[in-house]
């Protein structure tokens, strides 16, 4: 994935921030996540992944930048790891996704490009 170093620095800088308001709103709108599956595409530092886990969702979190697994596990260490799948992958290489009740992607898809996402 291009820009790996840039995104690693960016994601490291995000560790202490609050959950993004749009994600908080989405979680509130979607209701109880218990027993349901969410996907966080381009999960970055894992802040929104953590918010989804806290709301009871099982989460599949994917991002292409090296170090993603460590970042997301550090952000979510309070959660049961059985509820979390972290995949380090270029989203352009994804040919399918697990079934999900909710798909969240913040500021990631524009960097992937619509043509590449079409199969997903
Ligand atoms: C602006 S950050 C947003 C991260 C997080 N969603 C947030 O809200 O802080 C963009 C994210 O998209 C990821 N990304 C960009 N292009 C990607 C690609 N082709 N495959 C996988 N991840 C990609 C970057 O690694 C980065 O974590």
């Amino acid at each position: 994935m291009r820009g790996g170093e840039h995104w690693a620095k960016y994601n490291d800088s995000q560790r202490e921030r609050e959950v993004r308001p749009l994600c908080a709103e989405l979680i509130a709108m979607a209701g109880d996540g218990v027993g349901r599956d969410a996907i966080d595409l381009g999960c970055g530092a894992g802040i929104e992944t953590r918010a989804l886990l806290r709301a009871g969702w099982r989460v599949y979190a994917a991002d292409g930048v090296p170090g993603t697994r460590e970042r997301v596990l550090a952000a979510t260490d309070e959660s049961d790891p059985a509820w979390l799948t972290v995949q380090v992958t270029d989203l352009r290489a994804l040919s399918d996704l697990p079934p999900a009740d909710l798909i969240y992607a913040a500021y990631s898809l524009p960097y992937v490009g619509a043509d590449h996402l079409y199969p997903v």
Side-chain angles (χ1 to χ4, degrees), residues 41-63:
L41 285 179
C43 60
I47 309 300
E48 283 66 43
T49 293
R50 177 174 64 204
L52 287 160
L53 287 164
R54 284 178 176 167
W57 294 85
R58 224 176 355 246
V59 184
Y60 169 95
D63 199 293

Side-chain angles (χ1 to χ4, degrees), residues 24-109:
E25 193 179 332
L26 172 69
I27 288 171
M29 281 172 64
D32 191 359
V34 174
R36 296 200 285 164
D37 293 280
I39 294 175
D40 185 355
L41 285 179
C43 60
I47 309 300
E48 283 66 43
T49 293
R50 177 174 64 204
L52 287 160
L53 287 164
R54 284 178 176 167
W57 294 85
R58 224 176 355 246
V59 184
Y60 169 95
D63 199 293
V65 75
T68 291
R69 187 178 310 283
E70 292 75 12
R71 272 183 209 94
V72 176
L73 291 180
T76 61
D77 60 354
E78 70 195 23
S79 301
D80 183 342
W83 292 86
L84 172 65
T85 302
V86 182
Q87 188 165 5
V88 184
T89 180
D90 190 322
L91 296 179
R92 288 171 291 192
L94 277 181
S95 55
D96 59 7
L97 286 169
D101 302 287
L102 180 156
I103 300 179
Y104 174 78
Y107 310 108
S108 54
L109 302 188

